[in-house]
Structures are given as C-alpha cells and as structure tokens.
Amino acid sequence: LFNITWTPNPIDVGTAFIGASAKEGIFLVAMKATRQIIAFSLDTGRQLWGPTESQLPVDVFTIANWRRGATSIFDGKVISGGMGGRVHCYDAKTGKLLWTYDLKDPYNEILWGQNWPVYLSFVTDGKVYLHHAEHSPVDPMPRGAPFVCLDLETGEEIWLMNIRGLHWGGYPIIGDSIIAM
C-alpha cells in the first residue's frame, strides 16, 4: 500500500506499535525512552501528529506495552496512561491534548508516585473504565485499588470504587450493561 521510511529519534531505541483504528484511519507508535506517542495514517503511512508531550517518567515501563498500559482509540479520541497513573486523552485527528485525569492515591502509599498505576479496562458508551493492577505488590499493600469510570468527552470522574487489584484474575469486561471482574 505504501513504502515509507520513518526514522525515530536516536535516543528512542524502544519504539512499539500500540494500536490502530480503521474508523479513525490511524495507527499509533509509542516511543519508550521519551514516553511519547506518534500517529500515522493507515492510508498513506505518513506521520499525522506527534510526538506528544512526554508522559510521566514511570510510564517508561508501560507506554510501549499494550498489555500494561492504558491505550485505546475510540470515538475520535486516543486514551493513554500507565504506571504513572495519569490518563491522557488526545484528539485522534490532531493529537491535541483534550484532558488529563490523575488516579490519585489518597494515602500516598504507592512507592513510586502519588497516583495509582492504571490499566484500561474498556471504553464504551462514551465512558472510559480503568482499573489498578499490580503483578508484584509489596507488603504492606496500599489500601484501596480503584476501579473508575470517566466521561470520554470531559475526563470528569463519573464514579470510583475501591477494590483490590485485578491483575491475576483477568481484566474487567462488560456485556449487556453488566461489568464482570
């Protein structure tokens, strides 16, 4: 379909494909070292926007890992987040930052920051659902572990409930307006 050569910044040795949307006509590449996202056209292969501003430093562990981060393309938006616990929402056509949301740890018990690491559960019906998970927690474990629902357009919190991390039990799913986790 196209033959384009793209050369990333030399300091970015860790680049990875992190998502695509035929509806939006884009695919995303994450640059691990700088914690940034770039969007390319599915039709031409040319860079459309990016790199974005750098995400939080600890997102280096999740931005280029589709299983460990919070990346989704849905309804004209690109959602991104991860270990830093800050969710970013970008316009899928322009890359403009629309909103951010910090999944705050009210007790400051997360060892590497003030936010809960965040995973994307799913996006549906104009809402973004996110959860905390941890594959190797330390004792004592932090209190809480949020499952949160955000408005996709504004980033405003619709509801939040505290539960224990979901990593080993699988990710939450939704069907017929019922969430199972």
Side-chain angles (χ1 to χ4, degrees):
L1 296 176
F2 47 81
N3 183 7
I4 302 288
T5 300
W6 173 69
T7 306
N9 186 324
I11 67 165
D12 244 325
V13 293
T15 57
F17 166 82
I18 57 169
S21 168
K23 180 180 175 189
E24 306 303 335
I26 64 172
F27 68 93
L28 303 175
V29 171
M31 300 188 312
K32 183 176 179 180
T34 57
R35 303 160 327 276
Q36 296 171 298
I37 297 172
I38 298 176
F40 295 87
S41 168
L42 280 173
D43 295 324
T44 67
R46 300 211 183 280
Q47 184 173 332
L48 296 175
W49 53 261
T52 59
E53 292 292 318
S54 293
Q55 292 185 191
L56 295 172
V58 296
D59 281 350
V60 72
F61 299 111
T62 51
I63 195 164
N65 184 336
W66 69 273
R67 270 305 268 168
R68 299 280 180 254
T71 303
S72 180
I73 306 166
F74 189 84
D75 201 21
K77 312 278 188 303
V78 172
I79 306 295
S80 177
M83 281 301 280
R86 177 172 293 152
V87 181
H88 305 77
C89 178
Y90 304 98
D91 182 282
K93 292 198 183 317
T94 66
K96 177 184 177 199
L97 181 64
L98 301 174
W99 53 261
T100 61
Y101 173 84
D102 285 336
L103 197 54
K104 290 279 185 201
D105 171 12
Y107 304 110
N108 291 320
E109 294 176 337
I110 299 297
L111 297 177
W112 51 86
Q114 297 176 335
N115 296 336
W116 288 94
V118 63
Y119 288 61
L120 180 71
S121 304
F122 43 85
V123 182
T124 187
D125 193 30
K127 297 172 189 71
V128 180
Y129 295 84
L130 304 145
H131 67 278
H132 165 72
E134 176 56 63
H135 67 29
S136 51
V138 294
D139 285 324
M141 286 190 272
R143 291 172 278 182
F147 184 61
V148 64
C149 175
L150 305 178
D151 182 282
L152 179 63
E153 293 298 318
T154 65
E156 291 181 35
E157 185 179 291
I158 296 171
W159 54 260
L160 179 142
M161 65 177 165
N162 289 312
I163 54 177
R164 185 47 51 205
L166 300 169
H167 184 78
W168 294 116
Y171 284 33
I173 58 172
I174 191 168
D176 294 332
S177 299
I178 298 170
I179 298 171
M181 62 179 119

